[in-house]
Amino acid sequence: MIPQVFKEVIDLGDGREISIETGKLAKQAHGSVVVQSGKCMLLCTVVSNYEQKDLPFLPLTVDYREKFAAAGRYPGGFFKREARPSDGEVLTMRLVDRVLRPLFPKDYTAETQVMIQLMSHDDDVMPEAMAGLAASAAIQLSDLPFECAISEARVGRVNGEFVINPTRAQLEESDIDMMIGASADSVMMVEGEMEEISEEEMIEAIKFAHEAIKLQIEAQHRLADAFGRKEVREYEGAVENEELAKQVHDMAYDKVYAVAKAGSSKQERTAAFATIKEEVKASFSEEELEEHGGLVSEYYRKAEKAAVRDLTVNEGLRLDGRKTNEVRDIWCEIDYLPSVHGSAIFTRGETQALATVTLGTSRDANKIDMPSYEGEENFYLHYNFPPFCTGEARPIRGTSRREVGHGNLAQRGLKGMIPDDCPYTVRVVSEVLESNGSSSMATVCAGTMAMMDAGIKMIKPVSGIAMGLISDADSGKYAVLSDILGDEDHLGDMDFKVTGTADGITACQMDIKVKGLRYEVLVAALKQARDGRLHILEKLTDTIAVPREDVKPHSPKMVTRRIPNEFIGAIIGPGGKVIQELQKETGTTIVINEDPVTEEGIIEILGTDQEGIDKVLAKIDSVTFKPVKGSVYEVKVIKVLDFGVVVEYLDAPGNEVLLHISELAWERTTNVTDVLNMGDVLDVKYFGVDPKTRKEKVSRKALLPRPPREEKKDSSNSKKED
């Protein structure tokens, strides 16, 4: 017996719909929904244990996976089973996690898992745009303590018109690709890439997406009401002691305020705060600390946060002594590593990134193989964040989700400035060597300079900056912080990263922690970010103003040649023999692809030696050589036969043609060697294909002066004279 199913439908306004239903699948989960648009179906479940963990944070896991069966495909590779998540799946997990996590109570520490699975794929629907909706809808059907429903929407702009949850085809024509996460009354998360848009245009896109999100939240409420809302579970929350909180605050606040105002370095400041904390703890007896030690530490943290925030809002001063709109000292250097194709160091305050660039062929492209998308990236960026960059020692267990996310943000900020005619596959790697403040934005700056150092003809240089916001709800005061420190990242109400050129924004990432943030405040923050971004951009262009004219001598040169499709086989040779020998002989890398539109062969030649590249080009010219009817060519005799000679075009070695004995001279030729011998070089005229023999015809005699004809005697006149 099929159980009762509850369903709600969301109208996207252009003939498309999203449905959310529950009651049929995964009923042992604490909440489960199926979200569908077209043939795309996501199953989302949420489960949270009833036992609280003794942790200072919520152990929340958001897991998003795409099943290959959803697209009727097998997993690639030898192991025919879905394994570790792809970067695309990790990025979707992060988008959902960043919106959900702040809405759980601060003292809720039960193990919680949100699982989202792509069960059926539709080429016209991008499933990650519905992941946030699915997660929130499942939570609304559960008994979890959760502040309010949220949703996420993707927004694009095609031909000046905003589109909600665009198709992949629409995104290719769009100049905006943004994901927005929000509750009914507050925008909470923004991430995306743009084609040099203004701050005002970005705000309009956010507003448009927020209106669509409100409709999705209303549908969640209707579904929960129809299904029957569960009573929110009770749990053992954090113990509060107002008297103790006031005592700790009074002991710590002024001291912390004084240290924060001193404008010290990270190490000095950290040591001073640690001393204050120890002094506070020392004022309590061992028995008191044994009973309330955790609360003392927590209340000290709150006092420290309050003091630093008040200093910034009230006096416009920051932990390192800067004003709110000041950027830390910057120094840059290019061409630091002698053997790489391009390198740059970007140092801003206590944050440092060393970027390298490697140039390759299309064979080096980053292949993406997901059920929802298959393709290649000819520009990609990898970001590494080793523990020593923050003065820590901890085990390295593969690439973290944070590294994937930060690298993707930097990649999105830069990729729009790589010209379409760039012949190379470009890989940028950012090694973060120091971190106190946004290393992802340092990566953008270092990546820009490294590519210019490598000779990549970037359309425009790109810089990036991390911003913060501290606001006071009671007074209405707020402070926008340019180039935030690591400490400011944690204590603010908003942190956002913006990349762009001198003419507009290319990428952004925002996490907004304050409810009901006014759009005018957001505009002011983006304007201040632009001032800081341009200041940093000036530092970059002072170091390297324009890309190098050419790649470095030890870097590979790339030449691309298109050839008719029928010649591809001849260049590859039987079993790849011709191309392999050519690569070995010339020291080059040769890659042949086929243009799916024109069906031409695209040959990429990569090598450091120009002479080797020239040899490959000569070979291609030889193989693809087609003589033109009526043209004259220089040839060389390579074989002598009884009925003519075989000659080779000097401009196209390997291309041979028979010069028939009848075309050697105007006089009758009995022996070929009376006219030509092995190794002789001569000119011939090409006549195309002879309709009689159906073979190509060339002639030597056609280029020689024709002898005068002998006059025949008039026999009739002779007889009359006789």
Side-chain angles (χ1 to χ4, degrees):
M1 175 180 171
I2 298 176
Q4 183 179 2
V5 175
F6 300 87
K7 183 175 181 178
E8 287 293 331
V9 176
I10 303 161
D11 185 358
L12 294 179
D14 57 1
R16 295 177 299 150
E17 294 179 341
I18 300 176
S19 68
I20 49 176
E21 71 172 39
T22 190
K24 184 181 290 187
L25 304 181
K27 292 189 293 179
Q28 291 192 48
H30 295 162
S32 68
V33 295
V34 172
V35 176
Q36 181 171 357
S37 182
K39 294 184 290 184
C40 176
M41 297 176 69
L42 294 175
L43 169 65
C44 179
T45 59
V46 59
V47 173
S48 185
N49 293 339
Y50 286 93
E51 302 82 21
Q52 289 276 85
K53 291 221 172 199
D54 186 17
L55 293 170
F57 61 88
L58 171 65
L60 169 67
T61 302
V62 176
D63 195 78
Y64 171 79
R65 299 299 179 96
E66 296 187 352
K67 306 298 184 180
F68 276 85
R73 294 177 52 212
Y74 284 90
F78 178 79
F79 190 55
K80 299 300 181 186
R81 182 169 186 164
E82 289 86 356
R84 65 175 300 275
S86 66
D87 284 0
E89 289 168 318
V90 168
L91 294 170
T92 301
M93 295 175 199
R94 282 173 54 85
L95 285 173
V96 177
D97 185 294
R98 283 160 49 202
V99 183
L100 296 185
R101 189 174 294 272
L103 297 177
F104 286 94
K106 299 296 183 188
D107 59 353
Y108 187 69
T109 58
E111 185 88 28
T112 304
Q113 187 175 45
V114 176
M115 296 189 66
I116 311 165
Q117 304 178 62
L118 175 67
M119 308 302 289
S120 177
H121 175 58
D122 186 327
D123 288 336
D124 292 328
V125 179
M126 300 180 73
E128 62 269 26
M130 302 187 299
L133 167 63
S136 177
I139 293 173
Q140 294 305 302
L141 298 172
S142 74
D143 65 346
L144 272 63
F146 193 72
E147 186 173 326
C148 61
I150 61 94
S151 191
E152 294 180 349
R154 195 170 203 146
V155 61
R157 187 172 65 176
V158 180
N159 299 323
E161 297 291 330
F162 289 120
V163 182
I164 286 294
N165 292 358
T167 64
R168 196 173 297 280
Q170 287 175 317
L171 270 186
E172 290 177 0
E173 301 176 9
S174 175
D175 62 351
I176 293 175
D177 178 10
M178 292 170 59
M179 284 288 291
I180 288 86
S183 64
D185 57 2
S186 298
V187 174
M188 305 171 66
M189 184 278 298
V190 178
E191 182 164 328
E193 61 187 82
M194 312 87 180
E195 295 181 6
E196 297 183 281
I197 68 172
S198 67
E199 289 74 13
E200 290 81 4
E201 289 175 302
M202 181 173 162
I203 296 298
E204 287 303 311
I206 294 173
K207 289 180 178 178
F208 182 80
H210 195 190
E211 292 304 313
I213 286 171
K214 292 176 183 177
L215 298 178
Q216 297 179 13
I217 291 172
E218 289 174 5
Q220 294 178 52
H221 289 318
R222 293 195 303 269
L223 182 67
D225 290 338
F227 178 74
R229 290 185 180 272
K230 297 178 182 177
E231 186 175 344
V232 177
R233 69 175 61 176
E234 294 182 0
Y235 66 95
E236 187 177 344
V239 177
E240 295 293 338
N241 188 324
E242 294 183 7
E243 183 180 344
L244 181 62
K246 185 178 186 308
Q247 187 179 353
V248 172
H249 182 276
D250 292 343
M251 284 189 289
Y253 181 89
D254 290 340
K255 294 178 180 179
V256 170
Y257 197 98
V259 171
K261 192 172 180 178
S264 53
S265 68
K266 178 182 178 181
Q267 290 78 6
E268 294 171 333
R269 186 170 63 248
T270 301
F273 286 157
T275 300
I276 296 171
K277 183 177 180 180
E278 289 304 313
E279 290 174 354
V280 170
K281 293 175 72 174
S283 67
F284 295 93
S285 66
E286 290 185 9
E287 292 77 11
E288 289 174 321
L289 287 177
E290 187 174 348
E291 184 179 358
H292 301 299
L295 283 178
V296 170
S297 296
E298 175 65 17
Y299 292 149
Y300 169 78
R301 187 190 65 80
K302 290 182 177 179
E304 181 182 299
K305 180 176 180 179
V308 175
R309 286 172 61 92
D310 290 347
L311 172 70
T312 303
V313 173
N314 296 331
E315 300 191 42
L317 294 177
R318 301 165 65 180
L319 288 169
D320 57 358
R322 284 182 291 151
K323 296 179 181 178
T324 56
N325 62 349
E326 285 185 295
V327 176
R328 288 170 290 177
D329 289 340
I330 294 172
W331 68 265
C332 310
E333 183 179 336
I334 60 167
D335 201 20
Y336 178 72
L337 301 174
S339 297
V340 303
H341 300 162
S343 65
I345 302 171
F346 176 83
T347 307
R348 183 194 61 238
E350 296 168 302
T351 297
Q352 184 178 76
L354 170 61
T356 60
V357 171
T358 307
L359 307 177
T361 67
S362 60
R363 189 180 293 163
D364 302 304
N366 184 35
K367 291 179 172 57
I368 301 172
D369 184 22
M370 296 175 62
S372 61
Y373 177 67
E374 293 179 88
E376 293 184 345
E377 291 177 329
N378 291 320
F379 168 72
Y380 51 101
L381 186 151
H382 291 150
Y383 164 102
N384 297 317
F385 193 87
F388 68 77
C389 72
T390 54
E392 297 175 278
R394 53 178 168 78
I396 299 174
R397 306 194 188 282
T399 305
S400 68
R401 291 187 179 188
R402 180 184 182 278
E403 288 172 307
V404 172
H406 280 41
N408 178 259
L409 174 61
Q411 177 176 323
R412 298 178 89 175
L414 290 169
K415 75 176 186 180
M417 292 299 112
I418 309 298
D420 292 337
D421 60 356
C422 177
Y424 295 99
T425 289
V426 180
R427 181 186 184 226
V428 177
V429 178
S430 173
E431 304 291 345
V432 179
L433 307 181
E434 295 180 53
S435 182
N436 182 21
S438 179
S439 51
S440 62
M441 296 299 94
T443 293
V444 170
C445 298
T448 289
M449 292 187 294
M451 284 194 286
M452 294 170 75
D453 178 53
I456 299 299
K457 301 297 185 292
M458 290 189 71
I459 299 170
K460 297 172 189 174
V462 181
S463 66
I465 189 169
M467 306 290 292
L469 174 71
I470 297 176
S471 61
D472 186 336
D474 296 331
S475 65
K477 294 181 180 179
Y478 67 89
V480 178
L481 311 182
S482 297
D483 179 23
I484 58 173
L485 301 169
D487 292 339
E488 293 170 334
D489 191 5
H490 301 299
L491 59 84
D493 297 319
M494 175 172 69
D495 60 85
F496 62 104
K497 304 172 181 72
V498 187
T499 73
T501 68
D503 298 318
I505 300 171
T506 58
C508 74
Q509 183 184 90
M510 294 186 185
D511 289 306
I512 303 168
K513 307 165 192 174
V514 61
K515 297 179 185 177
L517 179 68
R518 303 194 309 273
Y519 280 111
E520 55 266 29
V521 176
L522 187 53
V523 171
L526 287 170
K527 293 285 188 182
Q528 186 170 316
R530 183 176 188 277
D531 294 338
R533 203 175 72 237
L534 294 179
H535 167 76
I536 296 170
L537 189 60
E538 186 177 346
K539 298 292 183 182
L540 306 186
T541 53
D542 284 347
T543 304
I544 179 168
V546 294
R548 290 182 182 272
E549 283 298 317
D550 201 357
V551 297
K552 297 177 182 180
H554 63 273
S555 297
K557 287 77 177 170
M558 170 76 85
V559 176
T560 303
R561 179 69 62 84
R562 285 179 173 264
I563 63 170
N565 191 302
E566 64 263 27
F567 293 111
I568 294 177
I571 292 176
I572 295 174
K577 181 179 179 182
V578 173
I579 194 171
Q580 289 172 9
E581 289 182 353
L582 190 59
Q583 288 180 112
K584 185 176 180 180
E585 177 188 345
T586 61
T588 60
T589 299
I590 306 170
V591 178
I592 302 178
N593 297 308
E594 186 174 333
D595 190 315
V597 179
T598 64
E599 295 187 350
E600 292 177 296
I602 305 173
I603 303 179
E604 299 173 359
I605 309 159
L606 191 80
T608 56
D609 181 19
Q610 188 61 46
E611 184 179 347
I613 293 175
D614 291 341
K615 286 183 179 179
V616 176
L617 291 173
K619 177 65 175 178
I620 294 172
D621 290 339
S622 172
V623 171
T624 60
F625 175 75
K626 282 186 175 182
V628 179
K629 188 175 181 180
S631 297
V632 176
Y633 297 96
E634 191 175 24
V635 297
K636 180 180 179 179
V637 177
I638 60 171
K639 189 182 292 184
V640 178
L641 305 170
D642 292 339
F643 50 88
V645 294
V646 176
V647 296
E648 179 184 60
Y649 295 97
L650 292 185
D651 288 341
N655 281 270
E656 305 169 1
V657 66
L658 175 68
L659 174 58
H660 195 266
I661 190 171
S662 63
E663 297 297 329
L664 293 180
W666 288 104
E667 299 82 9
R668 180 178 176 81
T669 303
T670 304
N671 296 313
V672 172
T673 53
D674 291 341
V675 181
L676 293 174
N677 292 287
M678 281 286 293
D680 286 352
V681 176
L682 64 149
D683 288 339
V684 294
K685 187 174 183 179
Y686 181 74
F687 284 94
V689 177
D690 190 323
K692 294 181 180 179
T693 64
R694 296 189 178 182
K695 294 181 179 179
E696 291 183 301
K697 177 181 178 181
V698 293
S699 174
R700 173 179 178 265
K701 75 179 184 181
L703 300 176
L704 300 175
R706 186 168 187 166
R709 293 183 179 180
E710 294 182 8
E711 293 185 4
K712 294 182 180 180
K713 292 181 180 180
D714 191 336
S715 57
S716 59
N717 291 337
S718 297
K719 289 180 180 179
K720 287 180 180 179
E721 290 175 359
D722 291 343

